[in-house]
DNA sequence: CGGACCATTGATAATTGTCAAAATTCGTGG
DNA sequence: CCACGAATTTTGACAATTATCAATGGTCCG
C-alpha cells in the first residue's frame, strides 16, 4: 500500500487537485502545500465573506456552491458570480485592495479550503509558474465578466433569460437527461439579471406555455426546445 | 548634458513611464525594454483591434483614447471600457485565450506603444515583480468591471446616468472649473449603459431642465448641482 | 402537519423603446 | 473666417415592456 499518504492527501485535501492554479506542480511540491491549508464548513445561508471585510486568505470551494454579490444603492442584491466546486475567490484582493469588494453566501452546505495570504504570497515567489496560472485565470474571469456585462446590456429581457438558461444548461447539466439544475432561486436569477422576481416568474411561465421548457421543481427545469432558446437568446426585438 | 539618452528615452517612449506595470524597474532595466517597443498612430475611427482577431502584442496608450466594445446579438455595440493615456490592453489575451474578446476603436487621434507577446513573456520571466504588478492590475480591473456590472443591474436609469456622470467628473475633470469632458458621444454613453440614445438624450435634457447640469457642447457638460447627482445615483425608485 | 419561505398571477402605473421628423453641432474646404 | 453638408442630437407621439402593489397558491423541511 505505497499509496497510503496519497489517500490521506486525496481524502482531506481534494481542493488542491481541483484548482487550476496548482496544476503542473509536481507531487512533492503539492505535499508541501497540503499542511498550509485550513478547512471550514458552512451551512446554507451562512456568510463566508462580507463586502468591506479585510481578507486574509484565498478560499477554494471543495464542495457546494456560493453566490457572490454586492448591494445596490437601493439595498437590492446584485449577484456577480455563482461559484461551485473547484472555483476559488479572494485572490484578487490579496494583491490589490485589501478589503472584499463583494459578499459571499452559501447556497447549500459548503466545504472550503483556505490558504492564508502570507502562505499564498510565499507560494507565488517559490513557484513562479503559479503566477502565470493566476494571470491566466484572472484573464479568463475578466472575459467571463465582460460577457456577463454585455448580456446585461441586451435590452431584450427574454434574450437575457434564454442566455442564462443556456449557460446553466452547460454548466449544471444533469448526467443523462436534459434537466438543468438551477443554482439560484427565481429571485436569485432575477437579482443576477437585474429584473424583478415577478418578471422572472412571468417569463418562465411564458416559456413553459410556449412548450420551450418544463418546470420540474423550484430548482430544476427541463429544456424541451433548445433550438428555440438559442433563437431567443439572439433575438433583436 | 549627461541626460542625452534620457531625453530621447522620454520623448519617444513615454509610454514606459506611464504604465504601472513598469514602475519599480530601475533605469537600466527600463533602457533594456525601450528597444523592444514598436509605435503606431491611428486616426479617429480607426480600428486597433477586432473581436476574434489573433493577438500578438500588448498595446499601451501613449496619447488619445479608445473604446473597447462587443457586438450584442442584435448588432448593437456594447461598450465595455474607455481606455485613455497610460491604460493598456491585450495582456489578458496573451496568457489565456488567443483571440481578442472585444474590438477597440480610436475615439480621437491615438498613439500607441506595443510590446510583442514573445518579448512580454520574456519580461515576465526576467522580472518576476512585473507578474505581481500585473496580477494587481488585473485584480483592479476585475473590481472595476464588477462595479460596472453592478451599476448595470440598477433598474433605475436616472441613477445609472447620474453615476456615469459622476464617474466621468472624477476621471475627466477639467483643470480649473467643474466642466466635464465626456469621452463618449450620447450614443456611446447609451451603448455603455444599455439604453437607447433617445433615452440618454431625454434624460440629459431633463437634468438640464432641473438645473443640475448645463450642456456646453456635445462633449462637455458642467455640473451645477453635484449633490443632486449624488442623490440621484443612490436613488431607489 | 404546520409554518415559513418561495413562487405565481392579476391589475395598474410608470418607464423606456420605436419610428419619424426637426434642430443642432461639427468638420472641412473654399 | 464663413458656409455647407454630413453626422449627431433632440423632440414628439405612440406602443411595448417592465415595475409595483396586492393577493393567492405552492413547496420544502422540520
Amino acid at each position: 500500500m505505497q499509496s497510503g499518504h496519497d489517500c490521506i492527501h486525496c481524502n482531506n485535501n481534494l481542493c488542491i487537485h481541483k484548482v487550476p492554479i496548482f496544476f503542473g506542480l509536481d507531487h512533492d511540491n503539492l505535499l508541501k502545500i497540503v499542511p498550509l491549508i485550513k478547512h471550514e464548513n458552512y451551512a446554507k445561508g451562512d456568510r463566508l465573506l462580507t463586502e468591506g471585510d479585510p481578507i486574509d486568505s484565498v478560499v477554494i470551494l471543495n464542495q457546494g456552491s456560493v453566490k457572490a454579490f454586492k448591494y445596490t444603492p437601493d439595498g437590492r442584491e446584485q449577484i456577480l458570480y455563482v461559484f461551485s466546486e473547484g472555483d476559488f475567490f479572494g485572490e484578487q484582493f490579496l494583491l490589490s485592495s485589501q478589503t472584499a469588494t463583494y459578499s459571499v453566501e452559501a447556497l447549500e452546505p459548503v466545504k472550503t479550503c483556505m490558504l492564508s495570504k502570507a502562505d499564498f504570497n510565499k507560494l507565488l515567489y517559490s513557484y513562479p509558474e503559479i503566477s502565470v496560472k493566476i494571470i491566466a485565470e484572472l484573464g479568463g474571469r475578466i472575459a467571463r465578466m465582460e460577457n456577463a456585462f454585455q448580456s446585461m446590456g441586451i435590452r431584450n429581457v427574454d434574450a437575457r433569460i434564454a442566455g442564462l438558461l443556456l449557460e446553466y444548461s452547460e454548466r449544471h447539466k444533469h448526467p443523462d437527461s436534459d434537466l438543468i439544475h438551477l443554482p439560484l432561486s427565481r429571485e436569485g436569477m432575477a437579482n443576477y439579471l437585474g429584473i424583478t422576481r415577478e418578471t422572472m416568474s412571468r417569463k418562465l411561465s411564458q416559456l413553459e406555455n410556449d412548450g420551450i421548457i418544463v418546470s420540474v421543481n423550484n430548482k430544476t427545469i427541463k429544456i424541451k426546445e433548445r433550438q428555440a432558446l438559442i433563437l431567443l437568446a439572439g433575438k433583436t426585438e
Side-chain angles (χ1 to χ4, degrees), chain A residues 186-206:
Chain A
R186 304 297 140 105
E187 181 162 21
M189 291 188 286
N191 280 340
Y192 177 78
L193 293 176
I195 58 179
T196 61
R197 68 169 172 277
E198 292 98 329
T199 299
M200 189 72 202
S201 197
R202 273 185 254 270
K203 294 294 187 182
L204 288 180
S205 298
Q206 188 187 318

Side-chain angles (χ1 to χ4, degrees), chain A residues 20-22 55 73 82 99 101 111-112 120 136-137 161 166 191 199:
Chain A
I21 56 174
F22 294 127
I55 300 198
V82 171
T99 60
T101 56
K111 295 186 180 184
T112 63
F120 186 74
E137 167 67 24
I161 291 175
L166 288 171
N191 280 340
T199 299

Side-chain angles (χ1 to χ4, degrees), chain A residues 49-53 55 68-71 80-81 92-93 96-104:
Chain A
L49 192 62
T50 295
E51 194 175 346
D53 278 1
I55 300 198
F69 61 95
K70 298 160 85 84
Y71 288 105
L80 301 174
Y81 306 101
Q92 324 91 293
F93 309 127
S96 51
S97 64
Q98 296 288 24
T99 60
T101 56
Y102 49 71
S103 302
V104 176

